[in-house]
Amino acid sequence: MKKFLFTCLLALIATTTFAAVRVDDKPDCFVFEHQNAKVYYVVLGSFSSLKEAKRFNYYAPDGLECNIYSARVKGKVVYRCSCNVFKSATTAHECAREIQKCYGINAWVWASNGLAKCVHRETGLSGEPLPIYPK
């Protein structure tokens, strides 16, 4: 079942188009073309330190590799482990429900105005860095 879900997610990613432009000569630095548009992150965990977020990410189930984003909540910086980024709230909520159903992780959706600051990029099973721009 997990392999089937993972295959479906890969197929969805492969057929989805997105609009991103390069900001500078750094190959990993992209900005969504509508900077102030809502972006929806599927979050698996939120932590008060980067060390805790990296530890969570290290022990996450296979297929749920996460990029780590920083956010300011009530004046404090938190680190959120996010496995997917979407342009659509509906798609993000569907993904969160599937993760809860298949992995038992209480995933939730974080709505952000524009892209959040990525502080740690993870690589997927293919060895390529996970995308930081919405699908």
Side-chain angles (χ1 to χ4, degrees), residues 3-54:
K3 285 184 180 181
F4 174 74
L5 174 64
F6 184 68
T7 304
C8 290
L9 286 174
L10 285 178
L12 176 67
I13 291 168
T15 59
T16 305
T17 59
F18 46 83
V21 294
R22 195 175 295 245
V23 173
D24 56 23
D25 59 354
K26 295 179 184 174
D28 294 338
C29 191
F30 290 91
V31 172
F32 186 53
E33 70 178 6
H34 303 290
Q35 191 120 340
N36 295 323
K38 283 275 192 194
V39 178
Y40 302 91
Y41 293 86
V42 177
V43 178
L44 304 182
S46 185
F47 304 92
S48 59
S49 76
L50 182 58
K51 183 179 179 180
E52 290 176 48
K54 284 183 177 181

Side-chain angles (χ1 to χ4, degrees), residues 1-7 9 44 56 59-65 83-84 95-107 125:
M1 178 65 176
K2 288 181 184 180
K3 285 184 180 181
F4 174 74
L5 174 64
F6 184 68
T7 304
L9 286 174
L44 304 182
F56 173 84
Y59 291 107
D62 288 340
L64 288 181
E65 292 82 8
C83 62
N84 280 310
C95 181
R97 277 191 296 276
E98 285 299 316
I99 289 170
Q100 288 173 346
K101 184 174 147 185
C102 294
Y103 294 98
I105 295 174
N106 191 20
L125 296 175

